[in-house]
Amino acid sequence: MKSAPAVISVAFVLGLLTWLLLHGLNINSARYDSQLRALGDFTRFERGMTREVLTARAGLSRNYDALVHMVNAYDDALTRLRDTAGLDAEQTRVIDVLSARADRQESLIERFKSRNALLQNSFAYFGLFSDRLAASESRPVVTAASALAAAMLRLTLDTSDAAARQVEDRLEELAQLQAPPAETDSVHALLLHGQMLHDLLPDIDTILKTLVAESNNREQDAMLAVILKRQLAARASARKTRLLQYITSLLLLSGIIYFGMLLRKRAMALRRRAAFEHVIANISMLFINSSNDGIDADVEMALRQLAGCIGADRAYFACVVGTTMHTYRWSRDGIAFEPGWPERVLSLAPRLDGGEDGIVYIPRMNASHPHDAMLTEAGVSGWLCIMAAYGSRDGILGFDAVRGGALTYWSEVSLFRMAFDAIGNAIRRARLEGEKERLQASLQQARRMETIGTFASGIAHNFNNIVGAILGHAEMADARVAPGSRPAASLAEIRRAGERARELVEQILGFGRRGEGRRERVCLGTLVDETRSLLAASLPSHVTFEVDETADIAIVTGEPAQLQQVILNLCNNAAQAMKEPGRIELRIKVHDLVKPLSIGRSEVGPGRFTVISVADPGPGMDEATLERIFEPFFTTRPDGNGLGLATVREIVEQHGGAVAVQSRPDAGTRFDIWLPSGEPVEPQPAQHGSDPAFLGAGETVLVIDTDRRRLLRYEEILAALGYEPVGFTGLAEAIAACRAAHARFDAALVCHLPGGSSLDLAAALHDAAPALPIILAAPSTRDLAMPSLKTSGITELVHHPLASAELASALARSLVSSATSGRLRRAAGAS
């Protein structure tokens, strides 16, 4: 009963095919009939075109409408003939010949139409001017014109060369006559149209002869023969086709039976695929719930389940993480791995052709093949290997048949790529979890460093006040000692160190912002001299510091404090690495690079670069340490924080340079700092005192500072500069004083206030006295935007704590810009 539907279907197909056999169609009969009609129209319209041309030549037709209609019908017949030809190469060749003939015919017709129009026009004018000259009073003109008309009539009937020469002779005779002046234009026009008729008549007759010669039936007969041959062949083919239909039907029935068997086989493969995907799903769920410590056992269980799908005796997964190889194995009881197996597979597999999917599948080994022989020596009789993408050596999943003699054949072994990805992702996740733990530890360290940074920022604010006191008292003491004396030199060193300390405070306060600081031209020779004096008090007694005295004077653009920090960090690191007496050497050289040069992890050049080299004879470093010395928080000293060299590279790269290091164990270390260089200039000596040109002349300066002790110190500095200071600790008192006497103050100095209210204070003061120039003293100017400064009425910026030289320059510039308004205010106050 189950086979009844199949039997009925087969019987129906046989009946249908038998009916097709008995009712076979005559193929292409309609197409050949259409071709015959199109061919007849082609011949008929071609003869019609020739007839219309001859009619127009005889002057019986005054327009070309009928001729145009014939040409269009002629083209349409050719198009229908080509459309019905289809892909028949022989018919196409014959039709191409007809098409070429039609193109020639139409080209000749177009030439005829254009020349015949000129001919008829010239005939009309020739007759007109001939009649005029025939009525001429000059007998020679009448005779010549009549002779020319007779010759032209003969040329119209006979366009031979003799008739044409006769016309030429008559034209020449008429041209040589001395015509009366009143008939000169008529003679000239008659000659012109006569010459045109002389040229056109032979050309038009040539066109007509060509048209008549082309109008034959050779091509049509060839096309007709081809059509009839195809028609007869189609009738014979129709008979054969019916028989072929029956044979094809039997083959179709056989194909249906065959594809049914294939479908059954495919269904079995789908069931096996579903079972394998179920195994993959179980493995994935196993890895999802597995812990980092149990990953080895879970991978081994996954290998056992996958080996059961293909009948393998051994299964393994090998991968390389960093420089370490990790191997996971499974084998049946009583079957062991060969020595060095599967580690050798990592080098063997890429040499085999794994195709695009990177899979090598050998169900049964062939001992004659070189690679199969290598596997046979390892006891492998069947092998499946899944490699990482593009034949990489980073990972491999393998299955070996040892005892069974061969692996179970399966055409869809590419599904094992999913297993490879599942195992690889699980191992990668375990590695990432370990990396996560390491990053969490680094995060805790970074948070501790953030806390330290916040603490250091708070210290920097307090240290700023201390530095201000040092600089202020140093300036006041400097005014009371003799220039050039030893106390003056000591005070100059105190002032220089204090200024560097103030720049360091500004750097600490702006560290979190990572902003671009103020850049200036820095003479490295002068900077190194200052650094030498700072190192003299901090280097151990067994370490000496030597600078190459023959170094060229080099100029770079940057922040002096940051560049000094680079040199100090390198020298201090070198000193801490030297356990025995030794010497730190610092050299400065200038290099002109004509092409880019790779330095460390950066590329510099082309251009001029200054190289600062710091070398020490310490214990040196190995390759592993060299790879990590610039990492933040990496250090080899128990008391180090790992930020020194990281800060060095960050500062140098921010200045557009690069850092290179050379070191070997027991051979010392050398750091090369490459910085973009400017043109060398002569160093200028530092001037710490106030320029007499900048001293005041008793001008009154309003000073605002909330700290009374600092306010008194700043008043002393202003008094020493020649100004009359008037101090206030509150904004309300200062505004009241400005409003009481508008011309009392020549300038205002607003000092830094904790909490960032200095700009608000300056803005309020500007509202009370709009014409008063305001100078703002701030510890850092990185975050002060020009629009906000202009809105607040601030004309100058100076560093806080105050330095007398900088303050004197700022006051002088402010007073010069407002000199006119200041004199008007003082005049108004005196009156």
Side-chain angles (χ1 to χ4, degrees):
M1 295 299 294
K2 294 183 178 179
S3 60
V7 172
I8 294 174
S9 299
V10 171
F12 174 75
V13 172
L14 287 175
L16 178 62
L17 294 176
T18 303
W19 183 85
L20 291 175
L21 176 63
L22 297 176
H23 296 81
L25 300 176
N26 186 5
I27 303 173
N28 292 327
S29 59
R31 181 166 69 91
Y32 294 131
D33 293 340
S34 299
Q35 285 183 335
L36 290 174
R37 286 194 298 270
L39 184 61
D41 292 342
F42 181 85
T43 303
R44 179 164 56 86
F45 290 126
E46 185 179 55
R47 293 173 180 173
M49 289 190 304
T50 304
R51 182 178 64 253
E52 290 298 327
V53 168
L54 293 174
T55 302
R57 171 66 181 88
L60 300 178
S61 176
R62 295 300 181 181
N63 58 60
Y64 301 117
D65 294 342
L67 182 59
V68 171
H69 173 72
M70 289 291 178
V71 170
N72 292 336
Y74 184 63
D75 291 339
D76 180 67
L78 183 61
T79 301
R80 286 189 284 118
L81 194 62
R82 186 181 296 277
D83 292 340
T84 55
L87 301 178
D88 191 321
E90 185 177 4
Q91 287 188 357
T92 302
R93 285 195 298 272
V94 176
I95 291 173
D96 288 340
V97 174
L98 288 175
S99 177
R101 171 178 166 178
D103 291 341
R104 293 194 301 271
Q105 292 282 78
E106 292 179 5
S107 176
L108 290 172
I109 289 172
E110 289 301 321
R111 287 179 55 194
F112 169 77
K113 287 164 61 178
S114 61
R115 283 162 175 73
N116 189 58
L118 292 175
L119 179 68
Q120 298 301 330
N121 185 60
S122 295
F123 264 133
Y125 281 106
F126 184 84
L128 175 64
F129 290 111
S130 295
D131 294 341
R132 287 183 182 179
L133 293 178
S136 174
E137 297 179 356
S138 174
R139 190 65 181 174
V141 171
V142 174
T143 303
S146 300
L148 176 60
M152 189 62 69
L153 180 60
R154 283 193 296 276
L155 181 63
T156 304
L157 300 176
D158 179 16
T159 57
S160 62
D161 293 340
R165 283 195 299 273
Q166 187 176 8
V167 171
E168 288 180 0
D169 294 341
R170 302 288 82 78
L171 288 172
E172 185 176 357
E173 290 176 0
L174 181 60
Q176 292 177 356
L177 288 177
Q178 295 294 329
E183 297 173 353
T184 301
D185 293 339
S186 298
V187 171
H188 179 72
L190 183 64
L191 290 173
L192 180 63
H193 288 284
Q195 184 65 43
M196 186 174 296
L197 290 173
H198 170 268
D199 296 337
L200 288 174
L201 284 170
D203 188 21
I204 290 176
D205 281 359
T206 301
I207 293 174
L208 292 177
K209 291 176 183 178
T210 305
L211 279 173
V212 173
E214 289 282 347
S215 299
N216 56 70
N217 294 329
R218 289 193 304 273
E219 289 83 357
Q220 290 94 324
D221 293 342
M223 184 65 193
L224 180 61
V226 172
I227 294 174
L228 293 176
K229 183 175 70 173
R230 291 290 184 272
Q231 195 171 28
L232 293 175
R235 292 173 180 172
S237 176
R239 293 190 296 271
K240 295 178 182 179
T241 301
R242 287 192 290 271
L243 179 61
L244 290 176
Q245 283 179 339
Y246 188 75
I247 297 174
T248 304
S249 302
L250 296 179
L251 293 177
L252 179 62
L253 180 61
S254 301
I256 292 174
I257 297 173
Y258 171 74
F259 284 114
M261 297 176 62
L262 288 181
L263 184 61
R264 180 175 178 274
K265 183 178 179 180
R266 181 61 178 168
M268 296 176 60
L270 288 175
R271 286 197 296 270
R272 185 173 182 181
R273 180 189 181 101
F276 182 82
E277 290 179 349
H278 182 69
V279 171
I280 294 295
N282 290 338
I283 292 174
S284 301
M285 292 298 298
L286 177 67
F287 286 140
I288 290 176
N289 299 322
S290 65
S291 62
N292 189 26
D293 296 334
I295 188 67
D296 294 348
D298 293 339
V299 172
E300 183 177 346
M301 182 178 296
L303 293 175
R304 177 177 61 81
Q305 295 180 6
L306 292 171
C309 295
I310 200 170
D313 299 317
R314 297 189 308 215
Y316 42 86
F317 186 88
C319 61
V320 177
V321 180
T323 58
T324 306
M325 178 183 292
H326 299 272
T327 306
Y328 306 87
R329 300 180 179 88
W330 172 87
S331 62
R332 297 185 186 274
D333 295 337
I335 297 179
F337 282 90
E338 297 292 329
W341 195 267
E343 287 79 6
R344 283 186 293 159
V345 180
L346 285 174
S347 59
L348 173 63
R351 289 150 52 186
L352 302 177
D353 183 13
E356 295 182 358
D357 53 0
I359 297 178
V360 179
Y361 182 38
I362 309 175
R364 183 181 294 277
M365 293 293 170
N366 182 5
S368 61
H369 195 278
H371 296 308
D372 290 3
M374 297 175 62
L375 295 169
T376 304
E377 292 176 0
V380 178
S381 57
W383 193 44
L384 172 62
C385 176
I386 298 92
M387 294 177 284
Y390 310 110
S392 171
R393 298 170 180 260
D394 295 340
I396 192 170
L397 173 63
F399 299 91
D400 301 339
V402 178
R403 194 168 51 189
L407 292 176
T408 302
Y409 182 80
W410 190 18
S411 60
E412 298 191 23
V413 293
S414 59
L415 294 176
F416 278 87
R417 171 65 61 185
M418 294 189 298
F420 179 92
D421 294 337
I423 298 175
N425 291 334
I427 296 174
R428 192 178 302 111
R429 189 193 66 177
R431 182 167 63 88
L432 291 176
E433 287 180 354
E435 183 69 14
K436 176 183 176 182
E437 295 175 357
R438 189 186 69 81
L439 290 176
Q440 286 177 344
S442 299
L443 178 60
Q444 294 297 329
Q445 177 68 12
R447 287 175 177 172
R448 289 194 294 269
M449 294 305 298
E450 181 181 3
T451 303
I452 293 174
T454 304
F455 179 66
S457 178
I459 292 177
H461 280 291
N462 295 325
F463 183 65
N464 197 26
N465 297 329
I466 298 173
V467 171
I470 293 173
L471 288 174
H473 288 291
E475 290 182 358
M476 290 186 291
D478 188 43
R480 295 182 176 86
V481 299
S485 62
R486 294 183 61 184
S490 299
L491 287 173
E493 290 296 328
I494 293 173
R495 289 162 58 88
R496 185 180 297 110
E499 291 169 357
R500 291 300 185 203
R502 184 175 63 183
E503 294 177 2
L504 180 60
V505 169
E506 182 179 355
Q507 181 183 351
I508 293 174
L509 292 175
F511 181 74
R513 293 185 292 268
R514 302 291 185 192
E516 184 73 16
R518 288 184 176 180
R519 299 290 177 89
E520 60 185 63
R521 291 172 62 83
V522 180
C523 177
L524 291 181
T526 304
L527 187 67
V528 169
D529 289 339
E530 294 180 7
T531 308
R532 190 207 305 259
S533 63
L534 295 176
L535 288 172
S538 61
L539 291 179
S541 58
H542 67 279
V543 177
T544 60
F545 181 66
E546 179 180 332
V547 179
D548 185 2
E549 299 294 344
T550 61
D552 295 333
I553 297 175
I555 297 296
V556 298
T557 301
E559 295 187 67
Q562 287 191 351
L563 296 178
Q564 190 176 66
Q565 182 182 358
V566 169
I567 300 174
L568 287 173
N569 284 359
L570 293 178
C571 293
N572 286 328
N573 280 358
Q576 292 168 2
M578 296 169 59
K579 305 301 181 183
E580 298 179 359
R583 178 178 60 189
I584 300 175
E585 297 182 355
L586 187 145
R587 299 177 182 272
I588 302 175
K589 292 184 178 180
V590 178
H591 293 270
D592 290 317
L593 300 180
V594 296
K595 60 181 180 179
L597 179 65
S598 179
I599 304 294
R601 69 175 184 180
S602 304
E603 187 177 86
V604 298
R608 169 169 290 190
F609 284 81
T610 298
V611 182
I612 306 173
S613 300
V614 178
D616 68 83
M621 294 174 284
D622 55 17
E623 292 293 334
T625 304
L626 282 175
E627 291 180 357
R628 302 189 59 191
I629 57 174
F630 293 109
E631 294 181 8
F633 309 114
F634 174 76
T635 181
T636 57
R637 299 195 309 272
D639 57 343
N641 58 19
L643 291 174
L645 291 178
T647 302
V648 167
R649 184 164 69 176
E650 181 180 7
I651 292 174
V652 173
E653 290 181 351
Q654 285 179 354
H655 283 73
V659 181
V661 57
Q662 300 178 14
S663 182
R664 288 185 301 172
D666 301 325
T669 303
R670 191 184 80 184
F671 285 88
D672 293 330
I673 308 299
W674 290 69
L675 295 171
S677 178
E679 294 297 329
V681 298
E682 292 296 330
Q684 299 295 329
Q687 296 181 1
H688 300 287
S690 299
D691 192 337
F694 293 153
L695 295 180
E699 292 87 346
T700 304
V701 179
L702 184 147
V703 186
I704 301 178
D705 196 309
T706 56
D707 190 316
R708 185 170 297 277
R709 295 178 58 185
R710 283 201 308 267
L711 180 61
L712 293 175
R713 186 165 66 250
Y714 295 160
E715 288 179 344
E716 292 179 5
I717 293 176
L718 287 169
L721 293 176
Y723 296 95
E724 180 183 347
V726 178
F728 297 93
T729 57
L731 175 62
E733 295 85 353
I735 293 177
C738 289
R739 290 176 177 173
H742 293 286
R744 178 182 177 185
F745 302 106
D746 297 285
L749 174 63
V750 177
C751 298
H752 172 66
L753 297 179
S757 60
S758 301
L759 288 178
D760 297 337
L761 192 151
L765 189 62
H766 179 65
D767 292 339
L772 185 66
I774 300 174
I775 301 172
L776 177 64
S780 176
T781 61
R782 296 174 185 265
D783 297 332
L784 298 178
M786 290 305 298
S788 61
L789 295 177
K790 184 177 181 181
T791 304
S792 302
I794 296 171
T795 58
E796 291 288 339
L797 288 173
V798 294
H799 284 88
H800 185 275
L802 297 175
S804 60
E806 184 182 15
L807 179 59
S809 300
L811 281 169
R813 288 192 298 269
S814 297
L815 292 174
V816 168
S817 63
S818 61
T820 303
S821 59
R823 285 196 298 271
L824 292 175
R825 286 196 302 271
R826 285 196 295 273
S831 60

